[in-house]
Structure formats: structure tokens, C-alpha cells
Amino acid sequence: MGIRRLRLPQLKPRGYQLGAWQALDRGAQNILISHPRRHGKDVTTASILSKKAMTRVGSYYYLFPTRKWAERAIWKNIVTIGNKSGHLIDLIFPPEIVLNKNNTDLKLTLINGSTVNMGGTDNLDFVGQGGYGYALSEFSLHKEEVTGFLAPILDEGNSFIIMNGTMRGKKNQLYQMYEANKNNPNWFCEWLTPEVTKRYCWVGEEMNLNPELLGKIDPLTGMEYMNVQDRVDSKMISYSLARQEYLNEAVADVANSVYGYEMTKLQSCGNITSLQKNDRPVYTFWDLGIDDPTAIVFAYVEGDRVEIIDYYENTGHDIKHYLDVIAQKGYRYAGHYMPHDSKKRMGNTGTNILDFCRTQYSFEARPIPKTNSVRDDIEIVRRHLPSCRIDISLESLLEHLTNYQWNPTTGRILHNEHSHGADAVRMMFMAIHQNMISEYLLRTKAQIDHRSYVEDDYLIF
């Protein structure tokens, strides 16, 4: 029987991917690569593991933030790369070198006895299991203690580690380790941008990246180079997130402003203007405070058309005060929407704020369900805020939106005098996003009976 030679890697590296390969061949054991989105970080990393596992018998680990992520990104991902199609795991680890493929444990046993284990770092299953090579994908999203657990394993086994991902700001371990080791001769640290890699272009009003690629065919894919501006214009991604993901910037927001770019866009598009108030249905959107402000946004909402016509906030008043303000404004109300915590029991009343308003004041409001991530909510707001119209007289609300900021130390939203108004606007967009807006309540000022109000100050906001 003849001997068949197999070349690894099976997928030919692109020019900008060669740095990590060459560094490992020179003996580097700490590899940190930050490439923009759609640059094949996982293909590069997994291909390196396949070669190393075939040249040194041992255990190797490719770890994502979660096991499910590993399944989706590598194990079950069906792709076409060049003239090859199939499951990504099979293209990188071809059948010729695989003795056994365990779909339950996401584990490959190679013909030379090496094992390659896919999984997540969320359950710490990798701790205590020595290996000769480790890879951490989307490194900025892993828990920081992961490398602490790995450090003694790496030292004991004379092992290498590859960490890859996009920067996602500065408040993460990927950025911090890059800054700490970029001049360390024992490390290979690489932070690439699309100006260097030429994988796509971004040609628009605010950006002129790789304009020579616009309309041209990418020889690697056979398709036209993507223009990131098309993604932004379609509202699939905000300008700020596109800069983070496609430009691989560490900081997409200037001076920690959450909506800095969107507010500039709002102004430049003429959407901060004098709005005509008429008899169209008005909706209110709340952010409830206890010892801090309660904020209420008043808006016309007609499909994708949103106009914020009024705003009110105050502190230290009972709920009757805010319902009086709403009544006194005299709008034709179609609905009122409060955040999810309006369903919690409040004070000594034995009931929640929604039931209290309904039974005591005949005021019908609906709760906006809690979402999984404030950051995801903010991304939705970013997509739609520039096309919203805001009355120019609402100076305090405009100031709140402009100064709504990330905490530069924790990476969380700053809870301050600006957060309540911005959160009320976020509630508005979340209610719209979840298709909650309906004219369930059309009530004129005359229909609100002040005499039915209970005078006791039960709830203070």
C-alpha cells in the first residue's frame, strides 16, 4: 500500500493570518491576535491546533465562552471556503487524520493518539486536565479567572496558548493583555485593522475606508467586496457597533458617550426641530425612580415614525403628582408604558404600581418586559435614534441623551442625573421593538376624573 501525504493546514492561510503561524514555528508560546470581524480568526486558530496536534502527541483544547458557542462556531458550522464545502471541523481536521469523532463530547481523537477537545470555559471543565496547546476564542468575553487557572498548566506542560477576538472596548482582558505584552519579546501580539487586511470597504458620508475596493470582486470569495456602510444604512448594525466589529476599534464611543454619534446624526439630519402638536394619539414611556427622578417621555408613534413631543421629570413626589401632570397636559392618550419593575410590590401597599394606578386612579399602564441585556437594548436604540424626531424645546432630554455615558472604570452605564431620561427613551424603543404599541386606551383630559383620586400619599417617586 502506498503512503499518502496530507498537507496541513488543509485551508490555505491568507497573508494577514501568517503572523501567528510563523510565531509558533519560531517557538512563541503566547499568541494574542485581534482581527476584525469576518477575518477567519477561528479558521486560523483551529488550523494551527490541527497541525500542532499532528506533530506533538498530546491533548489540545479549543475553548469558547460557552460550549454551545463551540458547537455553533466550529463543530456544526457548515461553510464554503474557496472550493471546499462542508462542516468546518471536517475541513480543518480531515477524515484522513481523525480516528474517532465524538459528537457528544465535541472531541476528536487523531490517528497519532492526540486528542482535540472543543468546549466552553463557563463550566471550568478544562481545569486539572493538562494539555500541550490551548486556544481561547472571543477572548474578550471569557471570564478573567480562566487564564489564571490555565497559567500553571501552561508552565508545567511547556504548552502554548492562542487568544483571539475583536477588541470590544478597553474594559476587557484582551485589550489589557495586548497593552501589557505588545512589546514583550516572548509574546506574539497582533492587532489588525481592515486598512491592512483589505477584506472589505466602508465608503459613506463619515467613512472612506478602502475606497479602491468598492464594487470590485474579492478573489478569496468570488463575491463583491462588502461595503460596511450598506449594513449601517439598513439598520442591521449601528455606526458605533460597526466600528467596533468591522474596524476592530477598542473604543467606538467618543468620551464614553453612549449615543454620541447618534445625537450628532440626529442634529445633522434636522431631526431636532420644532414639532407641531395636534390631536394624534400620544403614548407615554416611563422610568420609575424612588429616591431619584421619575422621567416620562411623551411621543407620537406611527409605525417606524417616532416623534418625541414632550418630556417631564421630577423627584420626591407621590404617583398622583405624575398622573396629574399627564392629565394636565391634555393630550389624547393611546397608551402608557412602564418598565418591568412596575410589577414589583411597592412600599406598604401590598400591591404593585400597575395595580395601584389602576385600582386607585383608574390609570391603565402596561409593563415592558425585562430583556436579557441592557447593552443589546442600547444597540437597538442606536439603530433607530437617528431617524427619531425630537422637539427642539426639550433641552433637558437632549442633554440627557447626549451625556448618557459608560462608566470608564466598570464598563457599565453611569447612574447619574442623565440616566433616567435616557432610560425612559430606551423604554420607548424597547416597547416599539417588542411590538407592544397599540391604541388600547384613548382617553381625553375630560375623561380623567380627578375626584376619584385617593389623596393619601402611598408611593413616593
PDB file of all heavy atoms in Angstrom, residues 192-208:
ATOM      1  N   LEU A 192      -4.869  43.867  14.133  1.00  0.00           N
ATOM      2  CA  LEU A 192      -5.006  44.273  12.741  1.00  0.00           C
ATOM      3  C   LEU A 192      -6.310  45.033  12.511  1.00  0.00           C
ATOM      4  O   LEU A 192      -7.302  44.839  13.215  1.00  0.00           O
ATOM      5  CB  LEU A 192      -4.974  43.048  11.826  1.00  0.00           C
ATOM      6  CG  LEU A 192      -3.674  42.245  11.780  1.00  0.00           C
ATOM      7  CD1 LEU A 192      -3.794  41.119  10.772  1.00  0.00           C
ATOM      8  CD2 LEU A 192      -2.488  43.143  11.452  1.00  0.00           C
ATOM      9  N   THR A 193      -6.298  45.874  11.502  1.00  0.00           N
ATOM     10  CA  THR A 193      -7.467  46.627  11.068  1.00  0.00           C
ATOM     11  C   THR A 193      -7.677  46.387   9.580  1.00  0.00           C
ATOM     12  O   THR A 193      -6.758  45.952   8.876  1.00  0.00           O
ATOM     13  CB  THR A 193      -7.279  48.133  11.332  1.00  0.00           C
ATOM     14  OG1 THR A 193      -6.160  48.591  10.560  1.00  0.00           O
ATOM     15  CG2 THR A 193      -7.029  48.406  12.815  1.00  0.00           C
ATOM     16  N   PRO A 194      -8.862  46.662   9.054  1.00  0.00           N
ATOM     17  CA  PRO A 194      -9.127  46.385   7.636  1.00  0.00           C
ATOM     18  C   PRO A 194      -8.325  47.247   6.666  1.00  0.00           C
ATOM     19  O   PRO A 194      -8.239  46.906   5.489  1.00  0.00           O
ATOM     20  CB  PRO A 194     -10.636  46.629   7.494  1.00  0.00           C
ATOM     21  CG  PRO A 194     -10.993  47.491   8.652  1.00  0.00           C
ATOM     22  CD  PRO A 194     -10.076  47.097   9.760  1.00  0.00           C
ATOM     23  N   GLU A 195      -7.743  48.355   7.141  1.00  0.00           N
ATOM     24  CA  GLU A 195      -6.845  49.111   6.265  1.00  0.00           C
ATOM     25  C   GLU A 195      -5.664  48.248   5.832  1.00  0.00           C
ATOM     26  O   GLU A 195      -5.124  48.413   4.739  1.00  0.00           O
ATOM     27  CB  GLU A 195      -6.314  50.361   6.973  1.00  0.00           C
ATOM     28  CG  GLU A 195      -7.352  51.442   7.230  1.00  0.00           C
ATOM     29  CD  GLU A 195      -7.939  51.342   8.625  1.00  0.00           C
ATOM     30  OE1 GLU A 195      -7.983  50.234   9.186  1.00  0.00           O
ATOM     31  OE2 GLU A 195      -8.356  52.382   9.153  1.00  0.00           O
ATOM     32  N   VAL A 196      -5.277  47.313   6.715  1.00  0.00           N
ATOM     33  CA  VAL A 196      -4.143  46.439   6.445  1.00  0.00           C
ATOM     34  C   VAL A 196      -4.576  45.176   5.703  1.00  0.00           C
ATOM     35  O   VAL A 196      -3.941  44.750   4.744  1.00  0.00           O
ATOM     36  CB  VAL A 196      -3.430  46.058   7.762  1.00  0.00           C
ATOM     37  CG1 VAL A 196      -2.316  45.048   7.506  1.00  0.00           C
ATOM     38  CG2 VAL A 196      -2.879  47.301   8.451  1.00  0.00           C
ATOM     39  N   THR A 197      -5.673  44.594   6.132  1.00  0.00           N
ATOM     40  CA  THR A 197      -6.071  43.290   5.605  1.00  0.00           C
ATOM     41  C   THR A 197      -6.831  43.368   4.285  1.00  0.00           C
ATOM     42  O   THR A 197      -6.885  42.385   3.542  1.00  0.00           O
ATOM     43  CB  THR A 197      -6.949  42.564   6.635  1.00  0.00           C
ATOM     44  OG1 THR A 197      -8.141  43.338   6.863  1.00  0.00           O
ATOM     45  CG2 THR A 197      -6.198  42.396   7.948  1.00  0.00           C
ATOM     46  N   LYS A 198      -7.484  44.501   4.003  1.00  0.00           N
ATOM     47  CA  LYS A 198      -8.205  44.699   2.738  1.00  0.00           C
ATOM     48  C   LYS A 198      -9.284  43.634   2.525  1.00  0.00           C
ATOM     49  O   LYS A 198      -9.451  43.100   1.426  1.00  0.00           O
ATOM     50  CB  LYS A 198      -7.232  44.683   1.557  1.00  0.00           C
ATOM     51  CG  LYS A 198      -6.117  45.706   1.629  1.00  0.00           C
ATOM     52  CD  LYS A 198      -6.635  47.127   1.516  1.00  0.00           C
ATOM     53  CE  LYS A 198      -5.506  48.141   1.499  1.00  0.00           C
ATOM     54  NZ  LYS A 198      -5.986  49.539   1.459  1.00  0.00           N
ATOM     55  N   ARG A 199     -10.083  43.376   3.560  1.00  0.00           N
ATOM     56  CA  ARG A 199     -11.137  42.372   3.422  1.00  0.00           C
ATOM     57  C   ARG A 199     -12.484  42.973   3.035  1.00  0.00           C
ATOM     58  O   ARG A 199     -13.376  42.262   2.583  1.00  0.00           O
ATOM     59  CB  ARG A 199     -11.279  41.583   4.737  1.00  0.00           C
ATOM     60  CG  ARG A 199     -10.128  40.668   5.034  1.00  0.00           C
ATOM     61  CD  ARG A 199     -10.060  39.500   4.045  1.00  0.00           C
ATOM     62  NE  ARG A 199     -11.222  38.636   4.145  1.00  0.00           N
ATOM     63  CZ  ARG A 199     -12.125  38.442   3.197  1.00  0.00           C
ATOM     64  NH1 ARG A 199     -12.007  39.036   2.027  1.00  0.00           N
ATOM     65  NH2 ARG A 199     -13.145  37.645   3.380  1.00  0.00           N
ATOM     66  N   TYR A 200     -12.678  44.249   3.271  1.00  0.00           N
ATOM     67  CA  TYR A 200     -13.910  44.927   2.860  1.00  0.00           C
ATOM     68  C   TYR A 200     -13.650  46.418   2.857  1.00  0.00           C
ATOM     69  O   TYR A 200     -12.560  46.892   3.232  1.00  0.00           O
ATOM     70  CB  TYR A 200     -15.087  44.592   3.785  1.00  0.00           C
ATOM     71  CG  TYR A 200     -14.764  44.483   5.256  1.00  0.00           C
ATOM     72  CD1 TYR A 200     -14.463  45.607   6.020  1.00  0.00           C
ATOM     73  CD2 TYR A 200     -14.775  43.249   5.907  1.00  0.00           C
ATOM     74  CE1 TYR A 200     -14.174  45.502   7.365  1.00  0.00           C
ATOM     75  CE2 TYR A 200     -14.486  43.127   7.248  1.00  0.00           C
ATOM     76  CZ  TYR A 200     -14.196  44.264   7.978  1.00  0.00           C
ATOM     77  OH  TYR A 200     -13.904  44.171   9.315  1.00  0.00           O
ATOM     78  N   CYS A 201     -14.657  47.176   2.433  1.00  0.00           N
ATOM     79  CA  CYS A 201     -14.515  48.635   2.389  1.00  0.00           C
ATOM     80  C   CYS A 201     -15.637  49.262   3.217  1.00  0.00           C
ATOM     81  O   CYS A 201     -16.594  48.596   3.608  1.00  0.00           O
ATOM     82  CB  CYS A 201     -14.564  49.141   0.947  1.00  0.00           C
ATOM     83  SG  CYS A 201     -16.079  48.740   0.049  1.00  0.00           S
ATOM     84  N   TRP A 202     -15.488  50.519   3.504  1.00  0.00           N
ATOM     85  CA  TRP A 202     -16.542  51.296   4.166  1.00  0.00           C
ATOM     86  C   TRP A 202     -16.515  52.679   3.539  1.00  0.00           C
ATOM     87  O   TRP A 202     -15.715  53.532   3.891  1.00  0.00           O
ATOM     88  CB  TRP A 202     -16.308  51.353   5.666  1.00  0.00           C
ATOM     89  CG  TRP A 202     -17.463  51.945   6.437  1.00  0.00           C
ATOM     90  CD1 TRP A 202     -18.505  52.667   5.944  1.00  0.00           C
ATOM     91  CD2 TRP A 202     -17.692  51.850   7.850  1.00  0.00           C
ATOM     92  NE1 TRP A 202     -19.375  53.020   6.938  1.00  0.00           N
ATOM     93  CE2 TRP A 202     -18.901  52.533   8.122  1.00  0.00           C
ATOM     94  CE3 TRP A 202     -17.001  51.255   8.902  1.00  0.00           C
ATOM     95  CZ2 TRP A 202     -19.416  52.642   9.404  1.00  0.00           C
ATOM     96  CZ3 TRP A 202     -17.513  51.373  10.181  1.00  0.00           C
ATOM     97  CH2 TRP A 202     -18.708  52.052  10.441  1.00  0.00           C
ATOM     98  N   VAL A 203     -17.389  52.858   2.600  1.00  0.00           N
ATOM     99  CA  VAL A 203     -17.447  54.119   1.866  1.00  0.00           C
ATOM    100  C   VAL A 203     -18.799  54.759   2.130  1.00  0.00           C
ATOM    101  O   VAL A 203     -19.843  54.208   1.773  1.00  0.00           O
ATOM    102  CB  VAL A 203     -17.245  53.900   0.353  1.00  0.00           C
ATOM    103  CG1 VAL A 203     -17.303  55.234  -0.391  1.00  0.00           C
ATOM    104  CG2 VAL A 203     -15.916  53.196   0.096  1.00  0.00           C
ATOM    105  N   GLY A 204     -18.802  55.904   2.814  1.00  0.00           N
ATOM    106  CA  GLY A 204     -20.032  56.610   3.150  1.00  0.00           C
ATOM    107  C   GLY A 204     -19.721  58.039   3.515  1.00  0.00           C
ATOM    108  O   GLY A 204     -18.610  58.534   3.292  1.00  0.00           O
ATOM    109  N   GLU A 205     -20.695  58.719   4.095  1.00  0.00           N
ATOM    110  CA  GLU A 205     -20.528  60.131   4.435  1.00  0.00           C
ATOM    111  C   GLU A 205     -19.455  60.326   5.495  1.00  0.00           C
ATOM    112  O   GLU A 205     -18.662  61.260   5.424  1.00  0.00           O
ATOM    113  CB  GLU A 205     -21.856  60.720   4.924  1.00  0.00           C
ATOM    114  CG  GLU A 205     -22.933  60.803   3.845  1.00  0.00           C
ATOM    115  CD  GLU A 205     -24.211  61.406   4.384  1.00  0.00           C
ATOM    116  OE1 GLU A 205     -24.210  61.841   5.555  1.00  0.00           O
ATOM    117  OE2 GLU A 205     -25.205  61.454   3.644  1.00  0.00           O
ATOM    118  N   GLU A 206     -19.431  59.447   6.518  1.00  0.00           N
ATOM    119  CA  GLU A 206     -18.499  59.615   7.622  1.00  0.00           C
ATOM    120  C   GLU A 206     -17.215  58.800   7.462  1.00  0.00           C
ATOM    121  O   GLU A 206     -16.263  59.001   8.188  1.00  0.00           O
ATOM    122  CB  GLU A 206     -19.166  59.223   8.951  1.00  0.00           C
ATOM    123  CG  GLU A 206     -20.226  60.185   9.424  1.00  0.00           C
ATOM    124  CD  GLU A 206     -21.575  59.861   8.823  1.00  0.00           C
ATOM    125  OE1 GLU A 206     -21.706  58.803   8.180  1.00  0.00           O
ATOM    126  OE2 GLU A 206     -22.512  60.674   8.963  1.00  0.00           O
ATOM    127  N   MET A 207     -17.194  57.867   6.525  1.00  0.00           N
ATOM    128  CA  MET A 207     -16.078  56.931   6.449  1.00  0.00           C
ATOM    129  C   MET A 207     -15.649  56.750   5.005  1.00  0.00           C
ATOM    130  O   MET A 207     -16.475  56.707   4.092  1.00  0.00           O
ATOM    131  CB  MET A 207     -16.498  55.576   7.041  1.00  0.00           C
ATOM    132  CG  MET A 207     -15.354  54.642   7.339  1.00  0.00           C
ATOM    133  SD  MET A 207     -14.307  55.200   8.705  1.00  0.00           S
ATOM    134  CE  MET A 207     -15.484  55.154  10.070  1.00  0.00           C
ATOM    135  N   ASN A 208     -14.335  56.638   4.792  1.00  0.00           N
ATOM    136  CA  ASN A 208     -13.797  56.406   3.455  1.00  0.00           C
ATOM    137  C   ASN A 208     -12.660  55.390   3.562  1.00  0.00           C
ATOM    138  O   ASN A 208     -11.503  55.698   3.348  1.00  0.00           O
ATOM    139  CB  ASN A 208     -13.303  57.714   2.832  1.00  0.00           C
ATOM    140  CG  ASN A 208     -13.010  57.568   1.359  1.00  0.00           C
ATOM    141  OD1 ASN A 208     -13.690  56.838   0.653  1.00  0.00           O
ATOM    142  ND2 ASN A 208     -11.992  58.257   0.878  1.00  0.00           N
TER     143      ASN A 208
END
